[in-house]
Structure formats: C-alpha cells, structure tokens
Amino acid sequence: MTLPLAVSSQSHVTVEVDNFTLALTGYLTELGLPTEKVLVDVTERRRVINNLPDVINSLDGARRSQSLYLSKFVAACGAGLFDAALNFIWDETVVNLRAKVAQFDLEYFYDSVITDSSRRPKFKDEADLAKIEEWELVRGCHLTGILSDIGYKHLDYIRDMRNWASAAHPNQNDLTGLQLVSWLETCIREVIGKDPEAPAIEVKRFLNNIRNATLTPSDAQYINAGIEQLPSDIAKSLLRTLFGMYTAESAAVQLKTNIRLVAEKCWLLAPESAKHECGFRYATFAANGEVARKAAANEFLTVVNGLPYLPGDTLALELSEKINNLSIAHNGFNNFYNEPAHAKALASYVSSTGHIPDAVRHNYVKAVVMAKIGNGHGVANMAVPYYDEMISKFGDNEIKEFIKLLSDREFSSRVALRNCTQSYRAHAQYLASRTTNQICLQALAIITTATDPQLPQLGKDSAFKRLTDVL
C-alpha cells in the first residue's frame, strides 16, 4: 500500500487522498475486513481540504504552531475518518480552555463551577483541571466570563455532537465536510484564537488586587464601580469566591479587610440564588463543627446584611445536595442510566403539599425542569414518573420560578434545542391550568404562543421582563 508522502499543494493533497482511499480500500478487501461506511466519501474530504486554508489562517502563527490536535484533525479528515476528526476538534478546544483557565484565576474558576462544598477541597491547582468534566469546564468558562454567551451556546452544542457523533463512542452517524469545517471555525473563533472576554479580565485584575494589595475606602469606590458593570452571572460567581476566600481558615487579616470593602456591592448585584448559597455554606460549617469558618461566615453575612438568608432547617441542606446530585447526573455521561436514582431520591424529600424552602426553590425547579425537557436527544424514561410527580406538585411559587427560568442563560440555551422548546411550551400550558395568578397566566400565555426562535429570547424581551419583575 502506497501512502502519500509529500504535501506540496492543495491540489496535490486532493490527488493523494484519492490514491490513499483506493489503496486502503484494496488492502481492507485483502484482509477480509469491511470497506463500506469506513471512510467518508472523497467528495466530502475535498470540501474540508478546500476550506481549511481560510479557517486555519485565522489563527496567528504562534497559536497555530502549538495546535497539535488540529494537525491530527487535518490528518483524520484526509484519511476520511470524520468521527475521529470531530474528536480532535474537541480535544484541541478542551486543551485550550484549560490553558486559559490556568492563566486566569483558578480559585475563582473552581469556586464558580464546583458548588458542592464536599467536593470543592479536592480542586486546588492546574493539575486538578483534568478532574473537571468537560461540561463543567465549558460551563465554568461561561460563568467566569472566559466564554461569551454565543461562544457557550456553540461549544455546548459541539460538545453534545462530540458525545453523540464522534469516535468517542461507537456510532454510524454521517458527518459532512462543511459541518466539520464550520465547527472548527467556531472553536477557533470562540476559543482557540480568542482571548478571554473583557469582564473576565477585569475580574482577574480585581481578585489579584483583593489578594495582594492594601486597599483603602477610596480604592474600593473604583472597584465597586467596576463591579456594577459585570453581568449578573459573573457577579454570582464573584460573590461565591469572595465568600470562600473570607471563610478560608488561612485567610489573612488584610485579605478580609479588603473583602469587607467590596462585599456589600457584590452582594447587592448577585442573584438571590447566590445569596442563599452563602447561607447554606454557613449552615454546613455549623453542622460540621467548623467553628472558625462558621464565625467567619457570620462576619461576612453581617457585613452584607445577609443573615436573613440563613436556612431555617436541615431540609434545605438535604434538598440542595439531592438537587446538585441530579444536575451532575443529568449533565454527565450516561445520564439516561444515572438520572432515575437521583430523581427518586429528590422526589422522596418533597412532601404531598409540594412545599419547597425558599432557599432552594430556584435550583429545584431548574434542575427538575431541565431534566424533564431533556437534553435535545431525549429524556431519562425511567425518571419521568418522578419528574411528573414533582412538577404536578408545583404551586404558584414554583410556577413563578418556572417562568423566570427563561432569564437564566444556561436554561435559555437549552430551550433553543427544538425538542426542548416543544417540551417546555407543553409544560407551560399544563401549569397554566394549575394557577389562578393573573401575572403567571399572562406570562405562561406568552410562553405557549411564542415561536421556536422567540422562546429562547423571551428572557431578554422587555415586556416579558416586566412580568417577571412583578413576579
């Protein structure tokens, strides 16, 4: 079998691809192995080869010379192994995202993406990034501002396709050359060839000053003005990090002094879910007998007037753990197999009245609804009875959170998928029959009549936002 040895021009590569295909097919025949559906048609490979120069040239020389998996991508495309090529696109993207996180602020990143307090101590340095699941890596980069909204949506879709249509799993899915080139261009434009978003850079500078400088009230005024410009999701991640830094047993006096100067502004701008999370962590310290950390948490919450956010009983803590477990199972590999046990466990904590503590209601509704509408490829059928049982117990407070989910960036990305759009709309119609609240009914009517393209954008619609503000 003769293999192509020289790559002198684009046309020469195309010719050699044809020769390679004939030679390899003949060799497989000699070995008595299948030849059908092994290599992608040469026509599709030509489309990749013809479009590659324009896409690759958008990378600067330094980044291009370090992109090992892009070389493997090109080789796989030329050989006709598109499923492997998709895997290499994703590998290059993951390597690049990890490098960006390592150069950014690891503590902030880990605090943003790992909300399980028992799991968080296991992540300390750059080496621990390999322990982060890929969906967590993408989501964490979005939460911390390393990825833009549009970049997150594109990458989450490509990650999904990598899981379902690449060589990462056995499959016989057909991928086209133009699809591969388009995904490669997206990964280069949004990750490989792009620096972090401006808010992420500002947060990195801000955290560096908090840790290393001696701030004055005058300095804090400028920092607080900068915090006001941050998106709410980044403000949420920042509050989580400040709380974690303040309550660490090794926290220095100057660090705590710096945090007290800016914590109140961050608290005011963070969403309610982030404030309740601080209350949960306080209760966790108390339950675990961590006296020093409990005292530090009390100090922090006193500074920001956040003591009313402490949970009233242990039910909220138990629910929070079960909600987090369900979310991890739903977003991870083999979710259809893993979800039912976690759905059953969560449902067992919900009383016949459907009462959910205020502190976990948002996360509860989000986790249950996201699992019930699926991930675009289906729903965990064995878990559906539990999801239906929990949704049937939604009262007005849960219905309000159901409506406000469209203002959540992660959720709005999910309902952009066609099957999820239809399911969410159907649940809105169902819940409309279970409330008499006129504001809820108006909002649910807008949801049920919105078109597929309109629905993911409702959270940004001014009229819809006015209704959710009233809720």
Side-chain angles (χ1 to χ4, degrees):
M1 180 176 63
T2 302
L3 297 178
L5 298 176
V7 181
S8 56
S9 69
Q10 188 170 313
S11 60
H12 181 69
V13 171
T14 304
V15 172
E16 293 299 331
V17 163
D18 293 342
N19 294 337
F20 172 78
T21 301
L22 292 172
L24 182 59
T25 302
Y27 186 54
L28 291 175
T29 302
E30 289 177 17
L31 295 174
L33 292 172
T35 58
E36 296 295 324
K37 296 185 177 181
V38 176
L39 304 180
V40 176
D41 187 78
V42 172
T43 303
E44 292 297 332
R45 283 182 263 173
R46 286 175 184 158
R47 287 175 178 165
V48 177
I49 292 168
N50 290 337
N51 286 282
L52 267 176
D54 286 340
V55 176
I56 296 295
N57 284 336
S58 62
L59 269 179
D60 62 57
R63 285 174 172 157
R64 200 184 312 173
S65 64
Q66 297 172 359
S67 301
L68 175 63
Y69 286 106
L70 292 191
S71 295
K72 293 187 177 186
F73 164 80
V74 175
C77 288
L81 300 173
F82 278 14
D83 50 357
L86 176 54
N87 219 32
F88 290 137
I89 292 178
W90 186 248
D91 288 344
E92 186 65 43
T93 303
V94 167
V95 167
N96 201 275
L97 283 177
R98 286 176 180 164
K100 282 181 167 59
V101 171
Q103 295 167 6
F104 183 50
D105 190 293
L106 280 171
E107 186 173 342
Y108 172 52
F109 177 83
Y110 287 141
D111 284 338
S112 300
V113 72
I114 302 172
T115 57
D116 184 346
S117 58
S118 64
R119 186 174 170 230
R120 173 63 182 88
K122 300 175 183 177
F123 296 84
K124 299 177 181 178
D125 53 30
E126 182 178 348
D128 294 325
L129 285 171
K131 302 176 188 175
I132 294 281
E133 289 200 40
E134 291 171 357
W135 71 268
E136 289 181 303
L137 178 66
V138 174
R139 179 171 175 267
C141 288
H142 183 224
L143 290 173
T144 53
I146 295 174
L147 274 177
S148 65
D149 287 355
I150 191 69
Y152 170 72
K153 290 180 180 179
H154 281 311
L155 254 63
D156 198 45
Y157 173 72
I158 294 171
R159 179 189 67 84
D160 215 29
M161 290 304 298
R162 179 261 183 187
N163 289 344
W164 289 89
S166 79
H169 302 287
N171 70 83
Q172 290 296 332
N173 293 299
D174 292 327
L175 299 174
T176 71
L178 292 181
Q179 280 178 322
L180 279 182
V181 170
S182 174
W183 291 335
L184 173 63
E185 183 180 33
T186 296
C187 290
I188 288 176
R189 185 177 66 245
E190 297 297 338
V191 180
I192 303 169
K194 185 178 182 181
D195 292 322
E197 295 287 293
I201 296 172
E202 287 301 314
V203 168
K204 179 181 180 179
R205 185 182 299 117
F206 162 68
L207 289 175
N208 183 64
N209 288 334
I210 288 292
R211 291 192 179 100
N212 302 312
T214 300
L215 300 179
T216 66
S218 178
D219 298 325
Q221 290 181 0
Y222 293 100
I223 293 176
N224 287 331
I227 293 175
E228 291 180 351
Q229 307 304 315
L230 295 176
S232 62
D233 280 1
I234 293 182
K236 174 181 178 179
S237 299
L238 185 56
L239 176 62
R240 183 183 293 144
T241 299
L242 291 178
F243 184 86
M245 292 164 62
Y246 196 93
T247 57
E249 293 183 357
S250 59
V253 173
Q254 186 59 55
L255 173 65
K256 289 187 174 183
T257 301
N258 289 345
I259 291 175
R260 283 196 291 269
L261 292 172
V262 299
E264 187 172 4
K265 176 63 70 175
C266 194
W267 178 271
L268 290 173
L269 295 173
E272 292 293 292
S273 59
K275 299 173 184 177
H276 285 299
E277 185 179 315
C278 291
F280 290 143
R281 293 176 71 180
Y282 173 95
T284 301
F285 298 151
N288 293 339
E290 299 178 79
V291 177
R293 300 194 74 184
K294 176 186 173 184
N298 187 281
E299 286 178 16
F300 184 95
L301 292 172
T302 300
V303 168
V304 298
N305 298 313
L307 288 174
Y309 285 83
L310 293 177
D313 52 45
T314 57
L315 175 61
L317 284 173
E318 293 292 332
L319 277 172
S320 180
E321 178 185 353
K322 300 301 183 274
I323 292 165
N324 191 58
N325 290 343
L326 176 60
S327 296
I328 290 173
H330 176 65
N331 285 295
F333 278 125
N334 299 321
N335 64 300
F336 293 161
Y337 175 81
N338 293 325
E339 276 185 44
H342 294 292
K344 180 180 179 180
L346 176 58
S348 70
Y349 279 85
V350 182
S351 69
S352 59
T353 63
H355 170 71
I356 300 295
D358 294 345
V360 295
R361 183 175 294 115
H362 171 78
N363 290 341
Y364 168 74
V365 172
K366 179 179 176 180
V368 171
V369 174
M370 286 190 76
K372 181 55 170 65
I373 68 175
N375 57 13
H377 295 284
V379 181
N381 291 327
M382 296 295 291
V384 166
Y386 301 112
Y387 299 143
D388 288 342
E389 176 188 349
M390 288 184 277
I391 292 174
S392 72
K393 296 177 181 178
F394 279 10
D396 277 356
N397 288 329
E398 286 73 44
I399 292 173
K400 292 173 184 178
E401 293 299 335
F402 174 90
I403 293 166
K404 290 189 284 187
L405 285 175
L406 290 173
S407 300
D408 184 295
R409 291 194 294 176
E410 184 181 11
F411 188 83
S412 64
S413 296
R414 177 66 61 85
V415 294
L417 303 174
R418 181 170 177 78
N419 291 343
C420 301
T421 304
Q422 295 172 344
S423 181
Y424 181 71
R425 191 185 291 115
H427 281 83
Q429 190 170 5
Y430 165 74
L431 292 174
S433 67
R434 303 183 64 81
T435 181
T436 57
N437 183 295
Q438 292 302 306
I439 303 298
C440 287
L441 288 171
Q442 289 180 53
L444 292 169
I446 293 174
I447 292 172
T448 55
T449 57
T451 64
D452 287 4
Q454 289 173 339
L455 191 58
Q457 304 301 320
L458 277 183
K460 300 177 182 178
D461 179 80
S462 57
F464 189 80
K465 286 179 70 175
R466 283 195 292 272
L467 286 175
T468 58
D469 286 344
V470 174
L471 292 177

